[in-house]
Amino acid sequence: GNSVTQMEGPVTLSEEAFLTINCTYTATGYPSLFWYVQYPGEGLQLLLKATKADDKGSNKGFEATYRKETTSFHLEKGSVQVSDSAVYFCALRRAAGNKLTFGGGTRVLVKP
Amino acid sequence: DAGVTQSPTHLIKTRGQQVTLRCSPKSGHDTVSWYQQALGQGPQFIFQYYEEEERQRGNFPDRFSGHQFPNYSSELNVNALLLGDSALYLCASSWDTSGSGETQYFGPGTRLLVL
């Protein structure tokens, strides 16, 4: 079946540090890939997405590239801020309209 | 433009009771999906509704049921509540398309505590 594996947190960083969160997936066919972010006490917000191999999703300084050869979709940000403290979820969707399969989430804490 | 809304925000029930959670999708969206997020875990897919029918279901028992109304809003019902049903219940809406790239937008969730 489909599955998503993320690096375990928490990840603790200082402000302006470089952030990488690893995400790998297992799926048949060509899934779409997503990163969602969840701030404390809130629901999930879409951060970025990529729908085919070699696509790069980007938003708010975050980037992730769909790597089919390594079945990965790692999230990166060059310079984090305290406001980036949140839980980040990698997810895949196997076909349009299909369900989202999420990883376990990675908590990121950015200290001033 | 209102986003996805859910009610209530918090709920406390006791074992064996029944609960109904409600969701109004984002304007223009016709598909509603429900997810359960246990503490410290990623969301798990419960089911999806489109055109008032359950289109897909995850690995949840029949105690979990739902409904979609003609205005696309949806309800999630859970019968015979167990302690393990305590979780954040998330509703997501989307616009059904035949191609890829459709995005699901999430509501703030309903936090259910079963005592």
Side-chain angles (χ1 to χ4, degrees):
Chain A
N2 303 325
S3 66
V4 177
T5 302
Q6 294 180 232
M7 60 187 290
E8 290 193 17
V11 175
T12 304
L13 303 165
S14 297
E15 212 166 16
E16 299 183 3
F18 185 87
L19 171 67
T20 299
I21 303 176
N22 291 337
C23 170
T24 57
Y25 68 90
T26 301
T28 56
Y30 301 91
S32 296
L33 301 174
F34 303 81
W35 277 100
Y36 281 85
V37 59
Q38 188 173 36
Y39 298 102
E42 298 185 12
L44 275 69
Q45 298 178 26
L46 177 67
L47 185 57
L48 52 83
K49 67 180 182 182
T51 58
K52 60 183 186 294
D54 299 326
D55 266 3
K56 176 185 284 188
S58 62
N59 185 27
K60 299 180 181 179
F62 290 89
E63 292 183 342
T65 301
Y66 189 147
R67 300 289 188 198
K68 185 144 184 74
E69 63 276 13
T70 55
T71 62
S72 65
F73 192 54
H74 304 322
L75 181 68
E76 297 181 335
K77 186 175 184 182
S79 177
V80 294
Q81 305 300 313
V82 172
S83 58
D84 294 324
S85 298
V87 181
Y88 294 80
F89 292 95
C90 184
L92 69 82
R93 189 188 69 226
R94 211 164 54 80
N98 215 321
K99 66 178 183 179
L100 286 168
T101 299
F102 286 88
T106 302
R107 182 175 298 278
V108 172
L109 177 60
V110 181
K111 296 185 174 181
Chain B
D1 175 25
V4 180
T5 59
Q6 293 185 243
S7 63
T9 55
H10 295 83
L11 204 51
I12 300 175
K13 292 286 188 178
T14 56
R15 282 177 298 175
Q17 285 189 312
Q18 178 265 343
V19 68
T20 297
L21 310 182
R22 296 176 175 82
C23 171
S24 291
K26 185 176 170 65
S27 178
H29 286 183
D30 59 0
T31 303
V32 173
S33 302
W34 287 92
Y35 294 82
Q36 180 196 65
Q37 185 180 16
L39 196 62
Q41 297 182 23
Q44 298 292 316
F45 175 76
I46 303 175
F47 43 54
Q48 184 179 84
Y49 276 84
Y50 171 68
E51 291 188 340
E52 303 180 48
E53 296 287 333
E54 182 182 291
R55 179 159 68 175
Q56 191 178 12
R57 189 178 184 92
N59 294 325
F60 279 80
D62 292 344
R63 298 187 297 108
F64 289 76
S65 63
H67 188 77
Q68 185 178 34
F69 298 94
N71 66 353
Y72 307 122
S73 66
S74 177
E75 289 182 349
L76 164 65
N77 301 292
V78 186
N79 294 322
L81 284 168
L82 304 174
L83 296 180
D85 295 330
S86 295
L88 180 67
Y89 287 85
L90 295 165
C91 169
S93 75
S94 55
W95 173 249
D96 184 74
T97 60
S98 58
S100 62
E102 160 219 333
T103 297
Q104 293 187 26
Y105 293 85
F106 283 80
T110 294
R111 188 163 297 281
L112 172 65
L113 177 61
V114 182
L115 300 176

